[in-house]
Each structure stands twice: as structure tokens, then as C-alpha cells.
DNA sequence: CTGTGGGCAACGTGCCGACAA
DNA sequence: TTGTCGGCACGTTGCCCACAG
């Protein structure tokens, strides 16, 4: 395949991707949604797939796949994180990992870490970078306070393994930690602006790593000249259909910060939502979102409808099959449709004893249930 | 379709594209090669299409299409020129434009024009831009030589219709034309380096236009995170196959400076080469190439073989069906395979009287002839 | 005719503590 | 605790001509 570049540092990648992004375990089974993959292209090219696209009647709306490999990458130009996944549609007879608990998703938490949103002063050419006190004490090597002023040279590596050198000094009245020499080179090289965030990590070997998260997610530097967006959408569907028909491997790219929702879902997470939970109109739920300061919080809402997002092209699909309303007024940002496995209902999930029994009797009457059966369960 | 952006200035676009690029006339019939389109993706992503790609046995190696529209574009980030073409496969019964002469290709020549390759001094921060004397006199508005020194403000628009302001002054001992204030802003905004070229045009309204041609054609800022290259290749083939099966329109992007060869060829040019010329091993020919100083010159070579480039996937295709050797030793740059219509044989082309008669009797025994028959002639 | 370099003034960059939010 | 500012030194930018290829 085309993953000749080796995977990047996982801790740093996840720190840049944000707190809500977790990737399925290599070797596990996942559910892949061509529909969601298409949405990622729409989000990146800002071109809707139109009606000219042929119908791949063979292709189910969800494919159960073996996840053979995941490699972590970052865009050379912008440092935007993405990953490549090698998937292989599986004959669903071998439902080996059926309803396994949701263990082992790749999301190493890192404590020796800090993230700061850059101020106007941080990014101006007039001065350096003001380090929050606790951050400096937590992740940077301790200064020798016998020197006047205390100062040291820091070396940090970014996602591309480039080294960045900074002078770290503790001075001013009152005293504060600053990055001076080297900081402006970094800011201009990465084209950082006020509002973007930088994050520093000390890894297990004591090495410093640094990454960035841009406030302005919209990168209009689109590869317009390469392929028409129609051909991209067709390419996604045709590649998935071909892999499905021949049970062969195929590669996809997942861009967590550009994609509206994850379209490769651990099968356990999918099954738990589809087979053990009840959803009905009027039901209350919570859902996690990333906040402006890169932490996560839950918003609450109500299910207002259940049905197909695209009844013509993708009938009986679970992808975004719930229409929802949000409690808070400024909800223009949040999607009007979500998938079952993205939300946490307030009601206690149904607890089952025998999987086989439960599946037969308790499968809810949500769209796509029969389709899911055909697709091998 | 997705051509909501209107076409750019055609004169400027062609000046940036170079002397060898000419586009087929809108409304005319063309021959589209999926194989060549795939090569463009390979050139841009530097990833070969591999064997996993499904076979579209329906899809001929060349499609006769109606060219419904051509819109000219330039990459926002790099100003690299490309165009979108709207094609529709035609039922070859209506061979209306059959063997029409090669008239009316879009390639406006522009005389009020100059192009200069930038020197180290031009791009350094130490000074401005030294304008060749004849160039300044030909395309810039005349200076008022009663002033001491003579100077004026120039305004030029680039491909994106952005305005650039320059101070044009005639001074120094000996006197020379210079661009001073405003020049370095332009150089850094466009990220120009010594060796790149700038070109100025005065259009019919007397407006100044300016464009750039980069020496280093390789732009490694690839949109890696969007789609796997396999999916792109599949997308191209599937889109073409779908359009062919349904006789519907489809959109392609052609990037003349990245693509190894043009893969949308006027049908007259194609027919002339395929039906009225003889090619044989050992035959001598000439072919045009762009030189380093952006003009064109001819290289000579010999046909060393005739046969399929990819006998498995694209049997009987005319695409690059000639193996060639080049006379000059430093020929590493030039392709080892070319298509019939790219070269000019030294022998006089066969002159025919009745097209129908000629076609039946004089069709050469080159690969793809039967395929071409099936594809509707 | 035009590419490079020295001279020089104006400007921007970047380190410092003061101050206040 | 940390964001912004005035002060200030120094490095860079950019306009000029001289000189030579």
C-alpha cells in the first residue's frame, strides 16, 4: 500500500488531534461508512456530491471491516493531523469480536503536557512567548535559580521531527517564564496567529515535543487542480465497492479535525448502540463537544426524529439517523443529525445476559436494522 | 457542475502556461484518454496506480467526447495554472467534425508581453527588479522624461485579480529601468526565487497583467490527507466509465505544467496522426519541447518500437504507443514513449483525397486500430 | 545593457522592565 | 499571574550609484 512513511509520535498526534479523538485498535473489527467518508470530502472541498454520481447498488451503507493498520500523519504544509487506515471487508460469519467491551482504543493520556492559546503579544514581532507558570514548572526542565537571571536552552521536536530551539528565561518584575530567542522563527515558520494554540509535551524519555492546533480550522488551500469533487466521491464509493466485492484491502484517510464525524467506528461501540439501546422521539441525551479552550464538555438535547438522512441513495442507513434539537440557543454550530453511537441517553442502557438471545429479541425498530442483517449478522 | 468560479484572463493564463500549451476549442470534439488522466494523478501525487485497481472492461482506452466548456483557473496558493473541462462522450455515429482542419485552438498570441527569469539580485532583499530595456519600452506606459529622475506608479493584476503596485523609475549611471517600492512585497508574497520567471502583459485595454512561472515545477505540498491515490485513480476510471455508459457529462482538471502529456486531444489532430500517417520502426521524427528560457525548440529522435504501454490494463491503446530514442545524449529528461500525434515525422504525411476511402484502405497496422473502430468510427 | 556590491538612512525586530488587569 | 506597552539597541531592508562583464 502507500504507507511508506512511518507513523508519527502517537502522544503528540493525539494531543494535536484533541481530547475527543480516539482511534480504533489495530487488528480489531470496525464499521466503515462510505457515506461518512463522502462527507469528509465534502467538508474539505466544500463541494457537495451531486446527483450525477452512479449508484453502487452492491455497496451497503456500512461495511464491517478488519482494521489491518493505522498510521499517523501530519500535513507537511500545515501540520494538520490525519491518519491512514487499511481496511478489509470481512465475511460477517466470523463475528469473532462480537460485542467485546470497548477496550484498548488508542488514546494515550499524557500528563506532562500543556496547551496555551496564543495571545496577540505572543504572536507579535515585538516580543516572545509568555509561558504560564504552572506549565513551565510541569513540563520544562527545572532552571538553575543560582544564575541571574535563570535561563536555559530548550530543544523541542514537532510532528515532522524537526528541531526547534528556544531560549527559556525567568525574568521581569514580577518574575515570569518566557521563551525569547527562537520563538519568532517558530511562529513565522508555522504561520501561527493569535487564537491558535501551541502545546508542549514531555515524553517518557524526557524529550520535549511540541505541536499546534489552529483556531481557524478552515484551510482554503485546496488541491483544486487535482480531481473534480465528483470524481473524488465516485472514487470513494467505487474503491469501497471494489474492496467489498473482492474482500480485499483498501486504504482511507481520516482527518479528525476536518471530518464532521468519525466514519470508522469500533464494532463494539456500534453494536452497543444499535443492539442494546432503545431510541425514541422525545428522548433526552448528552453528547460531548470540544470547547474553544481545547477541553471537552457535554451538551444536552432531545431526539426529534428518526429516519434516513438520504432515503434515495442510502436507504436504511444508521449514519446520522437521529434528528436532534439542542437545549442551548447558540446551537448553530452543532449538527442537526447524529448517529446512535455518538450520544449518551439519560436512560440506563438495557443490560443483557445472553448476546444471541438479546439480539434476536431486543433489536429496536430503527432504520437499517434489516440492512445490517443482510450485511452479515 | 462545479465551475462556479468564472474563467480567468485567457491571455495571462496562456502566457503562464507556456508556449506549447494550447487548449481545444469549446464545442469541438476531442479524444479523452483515461490512461493519460491517471498519469497526471501519478505525476502530482508521485504514487503509481497499483494492481489493486479494478478493471473497467467497459471503458475504452479513448473516448470521443464533446467539449462543452473549458474554464481557466489558477491554484490559490501557488498560482499554478490548470483548467476544468466539461466532457460528454458522444455516440460516434455523428462524426460531424470528422477530419476538420486543426483550426481555432485557443492560444492567443500576445505581443505586448515580456518574460524575465529572475536573477539573484532581483530576488534578494537588497534591491529591486532590473527591467530589461526593451521590455520596459514595449509593455510599460512611457515615462515622462522631463522629470528628474523619470518615474511612475505601475499597477498590475495577477491571475487572481489581485492588484500589485510598483514604483517604476529610470535612473543610475548608466541609466536603466527598475522596479523599486512594491517589488519585494510581491517577491515574498509569491515566494519567488532566483530562476523563477515573471511575465508582464499589456492587454487590449492597456491594463497591465503579471504572472509567474516557477522553475521548480515540483510542488511537494500535496493534499495527502484527502484521498488515497488508489481512490483517485479509481475515481477517474469510474467517473469516465459512468459517463461513457450513460452518455452524460463529466468534469476533469487538466494541469498543463504537471501533466506529462495532454490527455484531451482535438479529434482532428488525433485523426490526422492515426489515419493519415505511417509510422514504422527506425523512422526519424522531431518533437517540440519547452526550453529553460520558456521558448520552444525541437529535438530529434528515432522510433525504436511500436506497442502497448500497458498491455494488460489498456490493450490496443494509442496512448504512448511509440517507443523512441533521442539523438542528444542528455535525454534523461525526455520521455521514452510518446503518442503518434505528439511527433512530426520527417517523411511527408500521406495526402488523401476522399476521407472515407482513405480510412478504409490506409489505416496503418498500429495497435488500437480495432479498438478505435469499436469505439465508434 | 544589466548583474552585483558598497554606502547609508530608515525601519523593523526583539530583549528589557513597568504597569495594570 | 500574565497581557500589553514604552524604551532602546541592533540587524535588515531597500534606495542610491559605481563598476565591470
Amino acid at each position: 500500500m502507500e504507507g511508506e512513511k512511518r507513523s508519527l509520535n502517537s502522544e503528540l498526534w493525539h494531543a494535536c488531534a484533541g481530547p475527543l479523538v480516539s482511534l480504533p485498535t489495530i487488528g480489531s473489527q470496525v464499521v466503515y461508512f462510505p457515506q461518512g467518508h463522502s462527507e469528509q470530502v465534502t467538508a474539505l472541498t466544500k463541494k457537495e456530491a451531486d446527483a450525477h454520481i452512479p449508484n453502487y447498488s452492491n455497496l451497503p451503507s456500512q461495511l464491517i471491516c478488519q482494521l489491518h493498520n493505522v498510521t499517523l500523519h501530519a500535513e507537511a504544509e500545515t501540520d494538520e493531523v490525519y491518519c491512514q487506515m487499511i481496511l478489509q471487508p470481512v465475511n460477517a460469519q466470523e463475528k469473532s469480536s462480537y460485542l467485546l467491551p470497548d477496550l484498548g482504543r488508542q488514546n494515550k493520556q499524557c500528563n506532562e503536557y500543556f496547551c496555551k492559546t496564543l495571545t496577540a503579544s505572543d504572536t507579535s514581532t515585538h516580543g516572545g512567548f509568555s509561558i504560564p507558570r504552572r506549565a513551565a514548572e510541569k513540563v520544562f526542565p527545572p532552571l538553575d535559580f543560582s544564575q541571574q537571571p535563570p535561563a536555559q536552552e530548550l530543544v523541542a521536536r514537532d510532528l515532522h521531527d524537526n528541531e526547534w530551539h528556544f531560549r527559556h528565561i525567568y525574568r521581569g518584575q514580577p518574575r515570569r517564564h518566557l521563551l525569547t530567542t527562537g520563538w519568532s522563527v517558530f511562529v513565522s515558520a508555522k504561520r501561527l496567529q493569535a487564537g491558535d494554540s501551541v502545546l508542549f509535551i514531555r515524553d517518557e524519555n524526557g524529550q520535549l515535543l511540541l505541536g499546534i492546533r489552529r483556531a481557524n480550522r478552515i484551510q482554503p488551500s485546496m488541491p483544486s487542480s487535482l480531481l473534480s469533487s465528483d470524481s473524488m466521491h465516485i472514487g470513494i464509493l467505487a474503491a469501497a465497492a471494489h474492496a467489498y466485492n473482492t474482500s480485499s484491502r483498501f486504504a482511507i484517510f481520516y482527518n479528525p479535525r476536518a471530518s464532521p464525524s468519525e466514519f470508522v467506528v469500533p464494532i463494539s461501540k456500534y453494536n452497543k448502540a444499535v443492539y442494546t439501546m432503545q431510541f425514541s422521539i422525545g428522548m433526552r441525551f448528552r453528547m460531548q463537544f470540544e470547547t474553544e479552550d481545547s477541553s471537552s464538555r457535554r451538551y444536552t438535547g432531545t431526539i426529534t426524529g428518526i429516519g434516513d438522512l438520504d432515503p434515495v441513495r442510502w436507504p436504511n442507513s444508521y449514519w446520522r439517523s437521529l434528528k436532534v434539537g439542542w437545549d442551548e440557543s447558540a446551537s448553530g454550530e452543532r449538527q442537526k443529525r447524529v448517529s446512535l453511537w455518538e450520544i449518551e441517553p439519560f436512560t440506563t442502557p438495557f443490560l443483557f445476559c445472553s448476546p444471541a438471545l438479546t439480539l434476536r429479541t431486543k433489536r429496536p425498530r430503527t432504520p437499517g436494522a434489516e440492512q445490517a442483517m443482510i450485511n452479515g449478522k
Side-chain angles (χ1 to χ4, degrees), chain A residues 29-33 60-65 90-99 244 266-268 270-272 274-275 316-318 341 355-356 359-360 363 367-377:
Chain A
Q29 288 193 3
V30 294
V31 186
Y32 164 75
F33 295 85
S61 56
Q62 54 254 346
L63 268 59
I64 298 179
C65 295
V90 295
N91 185 336
Q93 308 293 32
E94 343 152 1
K95 42 192 168 183
S96 55
S97 64
Y98 210 80
L99 277 178
Y244 179 70
I267 199 168
S268 49
Y270 171 87
N271 283 336
K272 183 176 164 200
V274 170
Y275 296 114
N316 305 318
S317 165
Y318 280 119
W341 50 89
L359 285 170
R360 299 267 163 220
R363 192 172 58 245
E370 289 163 316
Q371 168 60 36
M373 284 297 286
I374 293 165
N375 185 23
K377 266 158 286 158

Side-chain angles (χ1 to χ4, degrees), chain A residues 52-330:
Chain A
H52 298 302
I53 289 175
N55 227 330
Y56 289 86
S57 46
N58 256 356
L59 183 65
S61 56
Q62 54 254 346
L63 268 59
I64 298 179
C65 295
Q66 179 91 13
L67 178 62
H68 284 289
N69 201 12
V70 178
T71 45
L72 308 179
H73 302 275
E75 208 71 69
E77 201 72 9
T78 64
D79 281 23
E80 196 166 16
V81 291
Y82 65 97
C83 67
Q84 185 195 55
M85 301 186 182
I86 308 292
L87 299 173
Q88 183 176 25
V90 295
N91 185 336
Q93 308 293 32
E94 343 152 1
K95 42 192 168 183
S96 55
S97 64
Y98 210 80
L99 277 178
L100 282 180
D102 211 353
L103 296 173
R105 303 195 78 198
Q106 304 175 345
N107 193 1
K108 289 187 199 166
Q109 298 284 355
C110 180
N111 281 323
E112 313 303 322
Y113 152 94
F114 83 87
C115 178
K116 185 194 174 190
T117 300
L118 300 177
T119 66
S121 297
D122 289 330
T123 52
S124 93
T125 55
H126 188 64
F129 172 67
S130 191
I131 313 164
R133 183 193 188 82
R134 296 194 175 177
E137 290 170 353
K138 190 166 58 173
V139 327
F140 291 157
L143 288 164
D144 174 8
F145 286 94
S146 66
Q147 291 175 41
Q148 260 331 304
Q152 64 183 335
E153 173 93 346
L154 294 181
V155 181
R157 288 176 177 277
D158 68 13
L159 278 166
H160 308 293
D161 225 38
N162 297 320
E163 277 191 358
W164 299 92
H165 294 252
F166 303 104
R167 178 171 169 82
H168 170 202
I169 193 166
Y170 185 70
R171 61 160 171 81
Q173 203 47 253
R175 297 270 180 259
R176 89 267 322 260
H177 291 272
L178 297 164
L179 295 185
T180 58
T181 310
W183 172 252
S184 68
V185 177
F186 177 73
V187 168
S188 58
K190 299 294 188 187
R191 299 186 220 176
L192 295 174
Q193 298 175 348
D196 296 342
S197 303
V198 281
L199 48 93
F200 283 84
I201 291 179
R202 188 172 64 216
D203 74 2
E204 53 267 358
N205 306 325
Q207 299 287 324
L208 272 184
L209 308 174
L210 89 171
I212 60 182
R213 248 185 261 168
R214 293 182 197 272
N216 193 11
R217 294 118 195 259
I218 334 156
Q219 300 282 124
S221 67
M222 263 299 85
S224 352
S225 70
L226 194 51
L227 217 60
S228 78
S229 66
D230 281 357
S231 295
M232 293 192 200
H233 288 285
I234 292 175
I236 283 172
L237 302 185
H242 179 249
Y244 179 70
N245 292 331
T246 60
S247 291
S248 57
R249 297 182 182 205
F250 66 111
I252 61 114
F253 289 115
Y254 171 53
N255 186 323
R257 297 194 74 79
S259 205
S261 301
E262 59 178 352
F263 53 86
V264 178
V265 180
I267 199 168
S268 49
K269 186 177 176 182
Y270 171 87
N271 283 336
K272 183 176 164 200
V274 170
Y275 296 114
T276 74
M277 292 188 184
Q278 304 275 356
F279 299 91
S280 56
I281 292 176
M283 197 165 149
R284 308 271 303 141
F285 67 90
R286 287 181 301 196
M287 184 169 159
Q288 284 195 72
F289 285 90
E290 190 174 330
T291 59
E292 286 185 7
D293 62 325
S294 332
S295 63
S296 73
R297 66 157 284 196
R298 287 176 165 78
Y299 287 85
T300 52
T302 308
I303 297 176
T304 59
I306 301 180
D308 283 328
L309 170 60
D310 183 346
V312 177
R313 188 172 292 278
W314 299 108
N316 305 318
S317 165
Y318 280 119
W319 181 258
R320 294 193 198 282
S321 61
L322 300 180
K323 281 190 232 183
V324 298
W326 299 98
D327 291 357
E328 295 184 42
S329 53

